[in-house]
Amino acid sequence: MTEEVKRNYLEIKSLQDLKEGDKPSNDYFISLVRPINFQLNKFFYKSIGKKHKWIDRLAWSEEKWINYLSSKNVNTYVLKHKNDLVGFFELILHQENKEIEIAYFGILEEYQNKKLGSYLLSEAIRESLHRDSIERVWLHTCSLDHKNALNNYLARGMKIFKREVVNI
């Protein structure tokens, strides 16, 4: 059985275009995951992705996860509430194009619909555009993602630059 999926590609090119989401409280913080922890990325991928049909990485071996996350061009950031995991984003640097891709982004289900996504996305964009020589931050979302995903990206100042329909 095939399903029609609408995919949108969005970008933002300047911090001046960013419409920030508010930080919920000082009990929330975002940190870069160092050293890498493939189990953490795998946990977020599986936990968040199960409702949104993230399947590409389910067959990855430990070695493939480690190799991917060991790249100097890949960084993972985690949002926590005190000591509890809340969400994450993965940034991939494409230096040759002077851009950063927000490859994965999500909030665990128990923390959704609390305006945390707007804050997390704002920080992902801010972190990306603060880097030298970065001219664009982009991502893609689709009709399988959280119902508020596209609206969040647009509300933060991102613009759609490409649309497509795919069958999966």
Side-chain angles (χ1 to χ4, degrees), residues 54-114:
W54 293 359
I55 57 170
D56 301 18
R57 296 182 182 181
L58 293 178
W60 280 18
S61 66
E62 287 187 11
E63 181 181 17
K64 187 161 184 170
W65 275 102
I66 292 167
N67 288 340
Y68 168 74
L69 295 169
S70 295
S71 167
K72 66 179 178 56
N73 295 327
V74 176
N75 286 305
T76 301
Y77 293 80
V78 172
L79 173 62
K80 288 185 176 182
H81 177 254
K82 299 180 181 174
N83 290 323
D84 295 334
L85 295 172
V86 174
F88 85 125
F89 58 87
E90 284 180 12
L91 302 179
I92 302 176
L93 170 65
H94 300 283
Q95 187 65 50
E96 66 284 358
N97 297 328
K98 298 181 178 180
E99 65 187 25
I100 290 182
E101 174 186 359
I102 301 175
Y104 282 92
F105 173 92
I107 304 279
L108 294 170
E109 191 169 11
E110 58 268 30
Y111 287 96
Q112 290 177 2
N113 303 311
K114 297 181 178 185

Side-chain angles (χ1 to χ4, degrees), residues 23-74:
K23 183 173 182 178
S25 76
N26 287 333
D27 291 336
Y28 288 89
F29 65 95
I30 296 172
S31 59
L32 174 66
V33 177
R34 284 289 181 257
I36 65 163
N37 179 347
F38 84 91
Q39 293 287 13
L40 186 60
N41 287 69
K42 191 174 176 180
F43 163 76
F44 279 120
Y45 183 87
K46 289 172 84 173
S47 299
I48 296 168
K50 68 184 170 200
K51 287 186 74 172
H52 308 293
K53 298 187 180 177
W54 293 359
I55 57 170
D56 301 18
R57 296 182 182 181
L58 293 178
W60 280 18
S61 66
E62 287 187 11
E63 181 181 17
K64 187 161 184 170
W65 275 102
I66 292 167
N67 288 340
Y68 168 74
L69 295 169
S70 295
S71 167
K72 66 179 178 56
N73 295 327
V74 176

